[in-house]
Amino acid sequence: MFRPLKVYFLPFLAQGHMIPFCQFARLFAARGLHVTIITTPVNTRFLESSVEEDKALGHHIHIHTIRFPSEEVGLPVGIENFFNVTDAHTADQFYEAAGLLRNQVEPFMERNPPDCIVSDFIYPWTAPIATRLGIPRIVFNSFCLFAVCMINAYKRQSQSQPELSHDHDHSGGPFVVSGLPEPITLTIRPPRLISGQLESLMEADQQNSYGLIVNSFNEMDGQDYIKYYQKITDLKVWHIGPASLTLRNTKPQKNHHDQTSKEHEYIRSWLDSKDYNSVVYVSFGSLCRFEDPQLLEIACAMESSGHSFIWVVHRESKKKNPRDEKDEKELWLPEGFEERMKKYSRGLILMKWAPQELILNHPATGGFLTHCGWTSVTEAVSAGVPMMTWPVFIEQFYNEKLITQVHGFGLEVGAEEWNSSPCERMKKVVSRVKIENAVRRLMNGGDEAEKVRNKAIEMKDKARKAVEENGSSQRNLTALIEDLKLTAMNRAASKHQT
C-alpha cells in the first residue's frame, strides 16, 4: 500500500488568500493526506486554532513557521499580513519580502520533499522548485475561473486592438469583451497596470503548473468557461469549493459558528429581533478602506433607505490625529446618526471585522452590499443572499459580471473607478443616490428583486448539491487526489527502475 501523500500549501499572506487556502488544506487532511501549511509567525497564530481542531480529529495537518523577512526590506516588525498594509510604498516592500520567503522555503522543501506543492499564484518562484524536485505544482489564485477567462480574453482582445492597452479614461462608456463563450459587457476598462501584472503572473502559472484549483463549483463558473480555460491553457482545473461550505459538509457534526456566535452574541440577538430578509449587510472586505467623504455617503444612503443594516467599516486612518474615536466619527457620520440608529434599532456599525458567515446565514439578512471579493461572494452564494455589487480593485469588476450579467443573483450599484490595488487612493465618490437606489431595488420588493432573490436561492441549492457526498466538488476533490497518488506512484516506480 502506497504511503499517504505529503502536500505543502503556500498561501499568500492576506486574508482573502489564507482563509480559502487553510480550508483547502483541511479538506486534503480530512481525506487522509499529510498536509503542511507554510507561513509566518503572525499568520500562524491566525491559523492555528483551525489546525488544532483538525489534529484533535486525528488529521495529519501541521504549520511550518518561517521568519518573515521584514528587516531585509525595511518593514516594521509585525507587518506580516497584507491587512496591515495601508500605502503603496509599504505594499511594494511587502511584495518584496514575500518574494524573499523563497530563501527559507526552498531549503526546507529540499530537506523534506513533498509529493505536491499547492502554491499561491503570487509565488511563481515555486515553479522551479517543483521542477527540480520532480513534483507537480498546483496553483491557487483566489479568483473564480470566470475572472481568469476574462483576464485572458481581455489580453487577447488588447493584442488585436492596441487602443485598449493605452492609458485611457476608465470611466468611459461600456465595451464588450469578445472571444468568450458569451460576450461580456464591462462598463469601464481595467487599468493597464493591473491587467499587465495579472496577465504576466497567470502566463507564468500556465507555463509552469500542473493545474489549477478553484474556490468555486462547476455550476458557478459554468462548463462553457471550464472548457474555454482548458482549451486555451491545456491545463487541468479542479473546482472543489465553495471551500467553507465543503468543509462544513465534511464535518457536519460541529456547528462551525459556535465560537463566533458566543463572542458576538449581541449581533445574533440583534438579528433575531429583525424580520426575515429585512437586513442589509454592508462589508467591503479586509483590504478596502474608504475615506471619510465616501463613508458619509454610505451612512446617508443607509439611513434614507429605511432598511436595517449591519455595516463593517474600514476607515482610511488619519495619522497623528489628536481626536479620539468618538470625535473621529463626526467626520464621516451625519450628526446624531448613531443615536438615531440605536434609538430605532436600525443599524449596527462594526469596526474592521465581523462574523461574516454568521451574519450571511441568518434568516434576517436579505441583501449584501459587497466589493465582490471572491471569498465574500462564495460565502454569500452558500447562504443564498443576493448582492448589491460595488467592485473596487483588481479582479472584482470581473466577479461583478459573473454575479449580475451571467447568473443574475445581484444588482450593480454603479461603481465608476477600477483601482489597481487596495492601496490606491480613490478619486471618485459613489453617491448616496446610487447606493440608496441599489438598496431599494433589492430590498423594497417587486418583480426585479424577486427574480434576483430566486436566482440567489437557485445558486445556493446548486452550491449545496456540489459539496454533497457525490456532488461535483467532492468528485473533483477525489479526482485530484487520485491524480496526485498516481503521479507519486509513477515517480516512485521510475526512481526504483533507475
Side-chain angles (χ1 to χ4, degrees):
M1 182 176 172
F2 193 72
R3 60 172 175 75
L5 289 178
K6 184 160 66 170
V7 182
Y8 290 169
F9 284 75
L10 282 82
F12 180 64
L13 309 176
Q15 309 298 75
H17 295 243
M18 294 190 66
I19 292 171
F21 238 104
C22 182
Q23 290 167 338
F24 280 145
R26 296 175 69 191
L27 287 171
F28 274 59
R31 292 292 193 98
L33 281 66
H34 289 201
V35 169
T36 299
I37 304 170
I38 303 176
T39 192
T40 66
V42 169
N43 296 294
T44 291
R45 291 195 289 275
F46 174 70
L47 299 176
E48 60 189 355
S49 61
S50 295
V51 169
E52 290 304 314
E53 177 189 315
D54 283 11
K55 282 184 179 179
L57 295 172
H59 300 163
H60 293 274
I61 182 168
H62 305 276
I63 300 175
H64 177 69
T65 305
I66 57 177
R67 185 181 66 86
F68 189 76
S70 308
E71 187 176 332
E72 289 89 325
V73 299
L75 275 175
V77 173
I79 296 183
E80 299 180 15
N81 191 293
F82 208 84
F83 176 81
N84 301 116
V85 174
T86 58
D87 61 83
H89 176 64
T90 306
D92 289 341
Q93 292 175 302
F94 191 91
Y95 281 118
E96 183 183 356
L100 293 176
L101 293 174
R102 176 176 183 171
N103 298 334
Q104 298 172 75
V105 171
E106 190 164 13
F108 170 70
M109 286 194 173
E110 289 174 344
R111 291 193 305 269
N112 310 277
D115 296 299
C116 173
I117 302 172
V118 180
S119 168
D120 203 291
F121 83 120
I122 292 179
Y123 298 145
W125 46 264
T126 57
I129 300 175
T131 300
R132 189 163 57 256
L133 294 175
I135 59 174
R137 169 182 177 262
I138 295 173
V139 172
F140 173 70
N141 65 16
S142 78
F143 302 165
C144 60
L145 192 69
F146 174 82
V148 176
C149 293
M150 287 286 290
I151 292 164
N152 190 286
Y154 183 77
K155 175 186 176 183
R156 290 169 179 243
Q157 193 168 344
S158 298
Q159 291 170 341
S160 63
Q161 301 176 37
E163 67 275 10
L164 291 182
S165 49
H166 296 159
D167 288 326
H168 43 66
D169 178 6
H170 299 302
S171 64
F175 77 103
V176 176
V177 179
S178 59
L180 292 160
E182 60 190 311
I184 301 296
T185 302
L186 290 175
T187 49
I188 54 176
R189 298 173 186 176
R192 185 172 63 172
L193 177 61
I194 190 62
S195 292
Q197 289 175 337
L198 291 178
E199 288 164 8
S200 60
L201 282 169
M202 289 184 182
E203 187 174 341
D205 286 334
Q206 289 165 9
Q207 293 174 352
N208 298 289
S209 71
Y210 188 70
L212 181 74
I213 58 172
V214 184
N215 184 20
S216 187
F217 52 104
N218 291 354
E219 296 81 0
M220 181 73 166
D221 275 315
Q223 288 297 334
D224 288 344
Y225 287 93
I226 295 172
K227 290 175 183 176
Y228 171 88
Y229 176 80
Q230 291 174 326
K231 181 179 179 180
I232 62 174
T233 65
D234 200 30
L235 286 175
K236 298 179 180 181
V237 57
W238 297 275
H239 285 72
I240 54 176
S244 59
L245 194 59
T246 312
L247 189 65
R248 203 180 313 150
N249 198 66
T250 301
K251 303 175 188 294
Q253 74 281 5
K254 179 178 170 61
N255 181 348
H256 288 260
H257 305 306
D258 271 354
Q259 187 62 35
T260 303
S261 63
K262 290 173 186 174
E263 294 172 354
H264 296 270
E265 189 59 43
Y266 69 100
I267 297 175
R268 185 193 294 275
S269 298
W270 187 87
L271 284 167
D272 285 345
S273 71
K274 302 301 176 185
D275 292 337
Y276 178 70
N277 276 349
S278 66
V279 175
V280 179
Y281 175 52
V282 184
S283 177
F284 296 87
S286 58
L287 298 181
C288 179
R289 297 173 178 88
F290 287 137
E291 294 189 5
D292 293 343
Q294 184 63 82
L295 293 174
L296 180 62
E297 294 299 299
I298 296 172
C300 291
M302 295 314 301
E303 181 170 17
S304 59
S305 76
H307 292 283
S308 299
F309 61 89
I310 295 178
W311 179 17
V312 186
V313 175
H314 281 255
R315 180 170 173 267
E316 184 64 47
S317 62
K318 305 292 187 266
K319 294 181 179 179
K320 299 181 181 178
N321 195 319
R323 297 172 181 264
D324 61 26
E325 185 178 317
K326 183 177 180 181
D327 289 337
E328 283 279 300
K329 286 186 177 180
E330 294 177 0
L331 300 174
W332 55 273
L333 286 179
E335 185 176 353
F337 179 87
E338 284 192 291
E339 290 78 7
R340 291 191 298 276
M341 296 305 101
K342 186 175 182 180
K343 179 179 179 180
Y344 299 107
S345 190
R346 272 280 314 283
L348 292 181
I349 295 178
L350 308 175
M351 301 304 293
K352 294 187 178 180
W353 187 85
Q356 182 158 292
E357 282 196 80
L358 182 152
I359 294 169
L360 287 171
N361 282 280
H362 195 283
T365 303
F368 183 14
L369 179 56
T370 175
H371 65 312
C372 304
W374 190 245
T375 299
S376 289
V377 172
T378 61
E379 290 175 354
V381 167
S382 299
V385 177
M387 287 168 258
M388 293 149 283
T389 59
W390 179 347
V392 180
F393 51 80
I394 314 182
E395 93 294 354
Q396 293 164 6
F397 280 80
Y398 296 132
N399 297 342
E400 177 184 56
K401 297 306 173 184
L402 181 65
I403 295 165
T404 62
Q405 192 176 144
V406 176
H407 291 302
F409 52 83
L411 301 171
E412 297 184 12
V413 172
E416 296 180 355
E417 185 175 12
W418 191 333
N419 287 343
S420 299
S421 86
C423 298
E424 187 177 348
R425 293 176 70 89
M426 297 173 198
K427 302 178 183 67
K428 297 183 179 182
V429 173
V430 177
S431 73
R432 65 189 71 179
V433 174
K434 279 188 174 182
I435 303 165
E436 181 184 347
N437 180 54
V439 172
R440 287 182 177 276
R441 283 171 64 197
L442 180 63
M443 302 299 291
N444 283 7
D447 292 343
E448 182 185 37
E450 185 178 357
K451 184 177 179 182
V452 170
R453 288 195 182 282
N454 288 339
K455 286 286 186 180
I457 293 169
E458 179 184 319
M459 194 54 67
K460 169 188 173 181
D461 292 340
K462 290 179 179 178
R464 301 204 170 213
K465 287 178 182 176
V467 303
E468 288 175 357
E469 187 173 347
N470 197 38
S472 59
S473 291
Q474 295 286 7
R475 294 197 308 271
N476 291 339
L477 179 57
T478 299
L480 169 56
I481 292 172
E482 291 303 314
D483 197 324
L484 293 178
K485 285 180 180 178
L486 182 61
T487 302
M489 286 190 289
N490 289 340
R491 189 171 67 253
S494 178
K495 284 184 179 179
H496 181 73
Q497 289 174 358
T498 57

